[in-house]
Amino acid sequence: MSDLSVANNTATKAFDVEAIRRDFPILAQEINGKPLVYLDNGASAQKPLAVLDAMDRYYREMHSNVHRGAHTLGDRATAAFEGAREVVRDFLNAPSTKEIIWTRGTTEAINLVANGLAPRLKAGDEILVSHMEHHANIVPWQMLAERTGAKVVPVQVTPEGELDLDSFNSLLTERTRILAVTHVSNVLGTVNPIAPLIEQAKKLGVITLIDGAQAVPHFKPDVQALGCDFYVFSSHKLFGPTGIGVLYGRAQLLEEMPPYQGGGEMIERVSFERTTWNVLPYKFEAGTPAIAEAVGLAAAINYLDGLDRKAMEAAENTLLVRANELIETVPGMEVIGTARHKVPVMSFKIAGLHPSDIGTLLDQQGIAIRTGHHCAMPLMNFYGVPGTARASFAFYNTLEEVEKLFTGLQKIQRLFT
Ligand SMILES: Cc1ncc(COP(=O)(O)O)c(C=O)c1O
């Protein structure tokens, strides 16, 4: 048995995209007789061998239920599971592991917070979101508003796809209780200037939640530097397994919030007269958790820590720059979302073509993109489109793949318009 800890990975690899691609076995296959070009990373990213191996090893050598302490396997599973929590704490630069709650993903994390904040809201209070939110950062707040009489108020976006700061300034008022905004838009790729927004909100005592689902695959957030109350993300977009996500919450707020679900693990004592809650973070983790998935997520973060972050961000930016250069080679192509600060995500339409046809025809060439409303119907309405085609890049994509996308689009455009 080797070291049980999943918290250590020291070797820093230089940024060599071909070597990196060998770490992702799924990429080396053909789809419809063509080499796979995977450009649907915004929906879910692929997993490196380090993640597959860590989960396999966990099941082969360590699996048992956690926090039971009666035998050696239980201790191993608990060490791996709590070690993973420490990896996430370090990733977010959170002050304490008691502020790291495992959830099923971003969606569950936001629902947990919305539920927990219900006792603080009353009729007339406002929850500020933005027009570019994913439904996961709209609907839970609408459900909360329904329960409490509060109102969900959307901050406008500009035609370029940036948050409209005048709209933000006029809508952030003494009625605002919660600010829930995305760090990075899943449709537009816009990186929002969340630090100053949080700072302004805090001055009015507003509770802040940041949806980091699309940010963490591209850069490391620092929750202490940001000063947010809650930060949420999903493992599967961060090159980790599905079925697990993270809620970072400030301890004081988490202490004050009621539990989300009841059951085993989240209690201190149960009797028919009175039940009391476990300490943080367990108060919010009812039932047997996703243990192997936590181990897998930690392995993904450790893998990323082994890469040169600056080189990775530069390589991603090169992909976006090349994609932008090639837009004019496809007649009738229009990009939606041209913010100054973007991650490599490109939503677009092509005159005369339905987005879903673009997706199907690209798939025939081995190229995977996403089409549709991207769970952002209010944003689609704002742009007056039923949906878009979206190519979302990861650090393992190559310039050659960007070029293949555009060659593919040129072909489709020639054939069908
Ligand atoms: C910005 C954003 N928020 C929330 C979500 C929801 O994430 P999940 O389905 O993993 O809970 C997504 C997923 O696409 C997203 O892009």
Side-chain angles (χ1 to χ4, degrees), residues 13 17 20 29 32 43 52 65 89 105 140 146 152 162 165 180 197 212 222 264 278 294 337 345 353 359 369 414:
K13 283 190 206 160
V17 73
I20 282 167
Q29 64 177 302
N32 294 323
L52 309 182
N65 214 326
R89 185 210 62 73
E146 183 96 348
V152 175
E162 297 185 346
L165 297 181
L197 304 188
D222 178 334
N278 204 342
V345 168
L353 280 170
I369 63 155
R414 272 197 308 271

Side-chain angles (χ1 to χ4, degrees), residues 15 31 39 72 93 103 118 133 182 198 214 225 227 230 295 303 375 410:
F15 198 81
I31 297 285
L39 305 179
T72 304
N93 191 30
T103 64
E133 299 308 315
T182 195
I198 293 166
Q214 296 291 339
F230 299 102
V295 169
Y303 175 83
C375 296
Q410 287 159 13

Side-chain angles (χ1 to χ4, degrees), residues 236-254:
H236 69 99
K237 295 184 197 283
L238 185 60
F239 313 99
T242 54
I244 192 163
V246 170
L247 162 65
Y248 156 77
R250 233 166 20 84
Q252 190 202 332
L253 279 167
L254 291 174

Side-chain angles (χ1 to χ4, degrees), residues 116-375:
L117 295 180
R120 290 171 174 261
L121 290 199
K122 57 178 188 328
D125 287 346
E126 292 184 355
I127 303 161
L128 206 52
V129 297
S130 87
H131 230 87
M132 68 169 83
E133 299 308 315
H134 187 282
H135 297 162
N137 201 26
I138 298 175
V139 182
W141 303 116
Q142 288 176 322
M143 291 162 70
L144 174 62
E146 183 96 348
R147 268 169 75 184
T148 59
K151 197 170 144 200
V152 175
V153 178
V155 173
Q156 295 306 303
V157 298
T158 66
E160 293 75 30
E162 297 185 346
L163 271 188
D164 182 333
L165 297 181
D166 290 336
S167 167
F168 176 79
N169 288 328
S170 68
L171 294 174
L172 181 75
T173 68
E174 64 288 347
R175 287 188 300 280
T176 314
R177 292 283 168 274
I178 298 167
L179 169 67
V181 281
T182 195
H183 202 163
V184 169
S185 161
N186 64 318
V187 176
L188 309 163
T190 310
V191 181
N192 286 319
I194 55 166
L197 304 188
I198 293 166
E199 199 182 330
Q200 255 176 281
K202 299 237 81 125
K203 284 189 189 141
L204 293 177
V206 172
I207 293 173
T208 53
L209 176 140
I210 305 303
D211 175 350
Q214 296 291 339
V216 292
H218 302 289
F219 51 85
K220 248 178 149 162
D222 178 334
V223 294
Q224 293 192 65
L226 291 172
C228 54
D229 294 309
F230 299 102
Y231 195 98
V232 298
F233 70 89
S234 301
S235 154
H236 69 99
K237 295 184 197 283
L238 185 60
F239 313 99
T242 54
I244 192 163
V246 170
L247 162 65
Y248 156 77
R250 233 166 20 84
Q252 190 202 332
L253 279 167
L254 291 174
E255 296 282 9
E256 289 168 15
M257 277 162 46
Y260 181 49
Q261 293 183 326
E265 190 76 8
M266 53 73 71
I267 51 85
E268 179 195 42
R269 294 196 66 76
V270 177
S271 73
F272 284 108
E273 290 70 42
R274 181 164 178 263
T275 291
T276 53
W277 314 139
N278 204 342
V279 293
L280 293 176
Y282 312 113
K283 173 178 142 186
F284 291 104
E285 294 180 357
T288 299
I291 310 166
E293 287 75 10
V295 169
L297 169 57
I301 293 173
N302 284 333
Y303 175 83
L304 291 169
D305 276 352
L307 301 176
D308 178 338
R309 276 263 169 195
K310 278 217 168 74
M312 171 179 144
E313 283 172 30
E316 287 188 3
N317 195 48
T318 309
L319 300 176
L320 184 62
V321 168
R322 186 69 186 130
N324 279 331
E325 283 168 2
L326 292 171
I327 296 166
E328 62 179 26
T329 66
V330 183
M333 177 169 175
E334 189 192 325
V335 169
I336 293 175
T338 52
R340 286 160 290 184
H341 191 187
K342 275 186 71 163
V343 298
V345 168
M346 184 176 267
S347 273
F348 59 92
K349 53 185 184 173
I350 299 177
L353 280 170
H354 195 278
S356 65
D357 292 335
I358 299 175
T360 308
L361 294 164
L362 283 176
D363 184 53
Q364 288 171 7
Q365 303 175 52
I367 303 168
I369 63 155
R370 192 154 204 88
T371 63
H373 56 63
H374 313 294
C375 296

Side-chain angles (χ1 to χ4, degrees), residues 89-112:
R89 185 210 62 73
D90 181 67
F91 176 69
L92 294 174
N93 191 30
S96 163
T97 47
K98 69 181 187 179
E99 297 174 308
I100 304 298
I101 315 285
W102 299 118
T103 64
R104 283 194 297 127
T106 305
T107 304
E108 189 178 60
I110 298 173
N111 277 278
L112 188 162

